């Protein structure tokens, strides 16, 4: 998907640029994926599972940018990478093509500044413009900041998956399934 960069001033006065990830971002993006996944228990992936190279990441970004149904956006705050968000189709079959999945992760130090709302807002606008009718996500049921962000942007909880994630210590986390209509 194409995306025109957007610049905004955050409530703390810092400047936030939302733009599409490009192949040149591969190394920085890979580092941030490893670092951010180690900062929170709420993500599915763990740092050691991010085992691909910057070259492979660059290839993936190029393929995504060439695809009409996929987008990876980055948020930069005063020039520093704050986080990323992705949208992709829920399935390749014709009967699933109206649905998309979204995902967002920021560095903890950039949380609570309004970056998540800006980044996800832009991603959802781009998803709607690309023809998606419904955005979907799952979120750990105790991830209060994320659930608050999703509700603020119009997502509703429609169900749950008990024991969706199992941690190394044997404990579990449930997923809440959330949906937002992009119609209208
Ligand atoms: C979830 C996440 C993207 C939210 O982004 P953020 O930039 O912190 O959110 P924002 O500052 O834009 O806040 C948007 C709204 O969310 C809510 N919110 C944000 N932080 C919150 C907190 N700590 N507690 C409760 N509500 C919170 C508020 O309603 C806020 O709106 P308001 O500013 O008008 O009050 C971010 O916390 C994050 O990346 N967390 C780690 C990774 C993660 O959990 N990703 C989601 C996986 S499903």
């Amino acid at each position: 998907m194409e995306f025109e960069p957007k610049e905004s001033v955050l409530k703390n006065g810092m400047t936030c640029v939302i733009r599409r990830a490009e192949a040149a971002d591969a190394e920085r993006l890979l580092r941030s994926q490893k670092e951010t996944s180690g900062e929170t228990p709420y993500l599915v992936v763990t740092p050691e599972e991010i085992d691909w190279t910057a070259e492979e990441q660059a290839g993936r970004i190029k393929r995504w940018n060439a695809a009409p149904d996929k987008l990876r956006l980055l948020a930069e705050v005063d020039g520093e990478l704050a986080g990323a968000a992705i949208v992709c189709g829920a399935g390749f079959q014709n009967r699933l093509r109206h649905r998309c999945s979204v995902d967002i992760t920021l560095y903890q130090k950039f949380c609570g500044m309004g970056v998540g709302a800006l980044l996800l807002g832009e991603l959802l606008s781009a998803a709607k413009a690309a023809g998606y009718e419904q955005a979907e996500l799952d979120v750990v049921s105790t991830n209060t900041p994320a659930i608050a962000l999703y509700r603020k942007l119009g997502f509703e909880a429609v169900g749950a998956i008990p024991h969706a994630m199992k941690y190394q210590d044997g404990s579990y986390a449930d997923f809440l399934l959330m949906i937002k209509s992009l119609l209208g």
Side-chain angles (χ1 to χ4, degrees):
M1 271 187 222
E2 298 293 330
F3 183 82
E4 276 299 308
K6 306 268 172 14
E7 187 173 307
S8 313
V9 178
L10 300 173
K11 50 194 172 194
N12 63 8
M14 294 172 98
T15 299
C16 180
V17 173
I18 309 288
R19 64 171 179 83
R20 195 175 76 165
E22 303 296 340
D25 299 306
E27 199 169 337
R28 196 161 64 132
L29 186 62
L30 187 57
R31 193 167 65 242
S32 80
Q33 287 170 326
K34 287 181 186 165
E35 290 171 348
T36 55
S37 61
E39 286 186 333
T40 166
Y42 295 131
L43 301 180
V44 171
V45 73
T46 54
E48 61 278 9
E49 289 170 326
I50 299 172
D51 57 1
W52 50 93
T53 65
E55 289 70 31
E56 287 166 333
Q57 181 77 58
R60 191 174 300 180
I61 292 171
K62 280 185 197 159
R63 286 194 298 281
W64 269 58
N65 287 350
D69 58 344
K70 294 181 174 67
L71 180 64
R72 185 189 303 269
L73 291 181
L74 303 183
E76 290 174 319
V77 174
D78 282 359
E80 204 178 328
L81 181 61
I86 57 170
V87 59
C88 61
F92 66 89
Q93 298 91 341
N94 284 332
R95 290 175 177 177
L96 300 182
R97 282 193 184 167
H98 61 297
R99 296 167 46 206
C100 63
S101 300
V102 301
D103 198 9
I104 178 167
T105 304
L106 306 181
Y107 278 105
Q108 286 300 306
K109 72 171 186 169
F110 289 108
C111 289
M113 296 180 179
V115 177
L118 267 178
L119 181 57
L120 193 55
E122 291 296 343
L123 192 79
L124 292 169
S125 299
K128 181 179 164 73
Y132 284 120
E133 297 179 14
Q134 181 166 295
E136 304 172 1
L137 57 85
D138 43 45
V139 55
V140 171
S141 60
T142 52
N143 190 351
T144 311
I147 293 169
L149 167 67
Y150 301 146
R151 287 196 197 284
K152 180 177 168 166
L153 292 189
F155 282 84
E156 283 179 276
V158 293
I161 303 179
H163 287 194
M165 286 205 308
K166 186 172 182 178
Y167 294 104
Q168 255 187 334
D169 67 0
S171 63
Y172 297 94
D174 300 342
F175 276 169
L176 208 57
L177 305 178
M178 300 187 83
I179 286 183
K180 177 188 164 71
S181 171
L182 301 176
L183 296 172

